[in-house]
Amino acid sequence: MDDGLDYFLRQIDPEVGNGCVQEDEELGWGKSLPVPSVQEIVRNDSLCVPESYIQEHQNRPDYHSEVSYASSEIPVINMSLLANGDKDELRNFDIACKEWGFFQITNHGIAETVIHNMKEAIAAFFQLPFDEKKKYAMPANDVQGYGQGFVVSEQQKLDWSDVLFLVTLPPSVRNLKLWPVTLPGFKESIDQYSTEIQKVTEEIFAKLSLLMGMDKDGLKMLHGEMKQATRMNYYPTCSRPELVLGVSPHSDASTITLLLQDDKITGLQIKHKDSWIPVKPIPDAIVVNIGDVAEVLSNGLYKSVEHRAVTNEKKARMSVATFVIPSEEVEIGPLESMVDDKQFPRMYRNMKYVDYLRHTLERKMDGKAHTEYLKL
């Protein structure tokens, strides 16, 4: 690593970086190497962009592409219509899942105050002094906590972001040692938001179940004890945004992911027909994307899609990604209703979900490489 990174790594308390959490509380999903706080790099020198963050030429964001105007094409689904059985909206939902793998949902029933409080809680955490945030640093053998995920080598290019990653549901699996519970309103805001997101998840699952030839409870039942993990992202400003990425291209190892964006700043981009398309925020809407598990269960009918985040010079940005995943012991594989030996032969092998999760977390983010691992 370059000298700038070495300096900031020395600022990380080794006891925190190497874990103070009891081993029996770790998830056992994997680990991520400790790296400097990008927020602190910018705070110390707003013009500094260490070499380890500068992407290879072919991976850098193109700020001059004309494709950005296509963002208006990203589907918007009215959840109220969908939940009430509107056939046209169900058709729109099916097309969005098949052709895009990404869509925004409106009229989802989550109160504006719940969304506002969630955003305020995250902002309050990232406004804490660095020494305070370090108390919640990712332990050596866990992916929960404050830091950056998917760092597996000192040679890899790093993302221009800081993260707080917590398993939020069910409450029994929370590791509260890594929750900033002394922050007023933080736990309550997460509780409310995760509960509401779970309701939206179950409605989306019900419709996906019907489209995949099951009863409306089919997908929920397949998940066993469904888990919800929340990644709170902070993207500091960058003096050279054309050189870095806020998050590297990847697909999600979830069944679905629900993202709460910044209302005013566009940062998310999705890969569609070989072009990177920005997802322009709709105030209080939630972005939903198909994850790797749904791709496998649908035998490739619905595909998880590569996405990434870019940065900007003017204003820091925050977002909240909620990953909905099956119980670790659930075996994932194509549903029988989605396989036809003549027309739709089986494309993926069966695998215990925790094995797939570990496979993804022990590697850097790399486009769709993880789903290739599951293909026959």
Side-chain angles (χ1 to χ4, degrees), residues 17 32 71 75-76 93 99 141 161 163 165 172 201 228 252 258 263 268 301 309 343 367 370:
S32 184
S71 63
V76 178
F93 174 71
E99 297 183 5
N141 294 304
S161 58
V163 165
F165 182 83
S172 60
T201 295
Q228 189 190 94
D252 292 340
L258 302 98
D263 280 345
L268 173 65
L301 179 69
Q343 288 185 296
H370 301 320

Side-chain angles (χ1 to χ4, degrees), residues 67-86:
V67 181
S68 62
Y69 297 107
S71 63
S72 59
E73 295 175 21
I74 290 169
V76 178
I77 301 298
N78 184 324
M79 278 303 293
S80 177
L81 290 177
L82 187 68
N84 288 318
D86 186 283

Side-chain angles (χ1 to χ4, degrees), residues 35 103 275 290 315 324 369-370:
V35 295
F103 49 93
S275 295
I290 296 294
K315 199 168 186 294
V324 179
H370 301 320

